[in-house]
């Protein structure tokens, strides 16, 4: 499996493309099982602490956390924290490595960035709870989070629903055809604590809802504005977003978090310093490739909570916008 010429053309012209069926039901099972296990552990802990009555042990992955949310929002929020880990990129289990290295996905990514593929540091698991306003993610470009010297590079975001995603349960929306206009002004302290581009500060080219089946993949550029809104269903909208770049885009694959100090010149840094990048394919230096889940976990854990300095982009606070 790879992206066709027409799909690549759409990605280049519109800033996004959806490829159906990149992950089969069987291929999604290991990540669903792993996330289901974290939900189970966290739910049992809360139950033993008396914070949660019913933990719905017999509900399938797609329903269980939604049932818990319905009976106890605070407990459900706490469980999602356990799932997401620190900052959202904390889960580095074997099933995550399996997703990141899924061959059909990497073949599609290769058709966008070439044969050398680096797993870009920020990947996220997103359990969007039903009827929870803070679960909304405001309009932003991923480059808003990356350092400015990376704007000229392509970092591909692969957004993958683990359950069918619809307008009703809070699917992603994409603003097409504006990814060639550079990075728009973002503001900190936006909805849910995310970065935000206010909707009057970028062109409205008609936001497109990405209604997708579990296992389809939405490919986005780092300059494509996207957002997601409230989940009005009874189930959690589970998704994972993974990122990839080639070796020309700055990365931290050959350095440790201790080399990221406030004194260091920003232009020498990886695009997103707080988390570890990792080499997945390098035909010229195959010895650099991360080949197994254990190696991957060690690389990720080295950066986890290590405080690698991220200078950010100096965005203004939303409340100071018109001052
Ligand atoms: O999954 C969502 O709702 C938001 C995802 C997102 O903002 C991203 O992948 O950058």
């Amino acid at each position: 499996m790879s992206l066709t010429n027409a799909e690549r053309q759409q990605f280049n012209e519109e800033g996004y493309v959806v490829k159906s069926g990149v992950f089969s039901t069987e291929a999604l099972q290991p990540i669903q099982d792993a996330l289901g296990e974290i939900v189970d552990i966290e739910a049992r802990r809360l139950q033993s602490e008396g914070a949660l009555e019913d933990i719905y042990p017999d509900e399938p992955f797609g329903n269980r956390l939604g049932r818990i949310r319905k009976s106890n929002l605070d407990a459900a929020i706490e469980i999602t924290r356990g799932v997401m880990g620190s900052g959202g990129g904390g889960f580095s289990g074997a099933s995550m490595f399996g997703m990141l290295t899924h061959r059909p996905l990497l073949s599609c990514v290769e058709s966008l960035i070439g044969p050398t593929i680096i797993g870009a540091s920020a990947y996220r698991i997103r359990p969007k709870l039903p009827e929870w306003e803070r679960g909304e993610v405001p309009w932003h470009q991923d480059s808003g989070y990356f350092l400015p010297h990376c704007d000229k590079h392509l970092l591909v975001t692969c957004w993958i629903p683990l359950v069918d995603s619809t307008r009703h349960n809070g699917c992603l929306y994409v603003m097409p055809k504006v990814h060639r206009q550079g990075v728009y002004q973002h503001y900190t302290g936006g909805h849910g604590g995310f970065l935000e581009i206010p909707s009057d500060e970028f062109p409205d080219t008609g936001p497109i809802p990405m209604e997708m089946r579990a296992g389809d993949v939405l490919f986005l550029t780092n300059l494509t504005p996207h957002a997601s809104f409230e989940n009005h269903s009874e189930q959690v909208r589970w998704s994972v977003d993974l990122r990839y770049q080639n070796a020309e885009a700055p990365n931290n694959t050959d350095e440790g978090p201790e080399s990221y100090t406030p004194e260091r010149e920003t232009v020498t840094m990886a695009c997103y310093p707080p988390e570890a990048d990792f080499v997945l394919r390098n035909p010229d230096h195959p010895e650099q490739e991360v080949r197994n889940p254990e190696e991957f976990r060690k690389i990720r854990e080295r950066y986890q909570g290590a405080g690698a300095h991220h200078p950010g982009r100096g965005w203004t606070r939303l409340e100071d916008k018109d001052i």
Side-chain angles (χ1 to χ4, degrees), residues 62 66 69 126-136 163-164 166-171 228-238:
R69 183 266 170 265
R126 309 212 195 227
K128 189 197 268 285
L129 295 176
E131 307 298 349
W132 186 50
E133 208 196 321
R134 279 186 71 86
E136 293 189 26
V163 296
D164 293 351
T166 62
R167 275 174 263 211
H168 189 51
N169 72 7
C171 68
S228 74
F229 307 104
E230 212 168 324
N231 175 358
H232 293 300
S233 76
E234 299 216 322
Q235 293 169 324
V236 172
R237 190 226 67 192
W238 288 92

Side-chain angles (χ1 to χ4, degrees), residues 4 10 29 47 49 114 121 143-144 157 171 203 218 221 233 251 264 267 274 291-292 302 318:
T4 63
Q10 189 196 327
Q29 199 63 50
Q47 191 183 41
E49 291 167 3
S121 65
S143 279
T157 293
C171 68
L218 164 66
T221 81
S233 76
N251 63 78
R264 182 167 166 178
V267 292
R291 292 276 170 80
N292 63 68
R302 186 175 176 207
L318 202 51

Side-chain angles (χ1 to χ4, degrees), residues 46-203:
L46 289 167
Q47 191 183 41
S48 71
E49 291 167 3
L52 187 57
E53 217 165 283
D54 197 338
I55 57 170
Y56 305 100
D58 300 325
E59 288 289 343
F61 172 74
N63 291 353
R64 188 173 182 188
L65 190 51
R67 291 295 299 270
I68 293 174
R69 183 266 170 265
K70 205 166 181 186
S71 65
N72 188 328
L73 175 60
D74 290 340
I77 292 171
E78 176 118 4
I79 292 171
T80 62
R81 289 209 185 100
V83 169
M84 294 172 80
S86 83
F91 180 64
S92 50
S95 55
M96 180 53 82
F97 185 66
M99 272 199 98
L100 281 156
T101 53
H102 187 58
R103 275 171 187 276
L105 178 65
L106 287 191
S107 299
C108 293
V109 170
E110 177 174 352
S111 63
L112 297 172
I113 62 173
T116 300
I117 302 179
I118 292 183
S121 65
Y123 63 76
R124 297 287 178 260
I125 298 162
R126 309 212 195 227
K128 189 197 268 285
L129 295 176
E131 307 298 349
W132 186 50
E133 208 196 321
R134 279 186 71 86
E136 293 189 26
V137 178
W139 286 103
H140 67 282
Q141 296 160 299
D142 284 349
S143 279
Y145 288 92
F146 304 149
L147 292 173
H149 62 287
C150 294
D151 293 353
K152 58 179 183 287
H153 295 281
L154 174 61
L155 282 81
V156 178
T157 293
C158 303
W159 190 87
I160 309 161
L162 303 181
V163 296
D164 293 351
S165 82
T166 62
R167 275 174 263 211
H168 189 51
N169 72 7
C171 68
L172 210 70
Y173 280 71
V174 165
M175 195 65 83
K177 293 195 174 109
V178 292
H179 60 295
R180 297 228 179 96
Q181 313 297 320
V183 179
Y184 291 95
Q185 172 75 36
H186 287 64
Y187 294 86
T188 60
H191 183 86
F194 293 105
L195 285 179
E196 177 165 351
I197 320 174
S199 52
D200 56 349
E201 295 206 8
F202 69 111

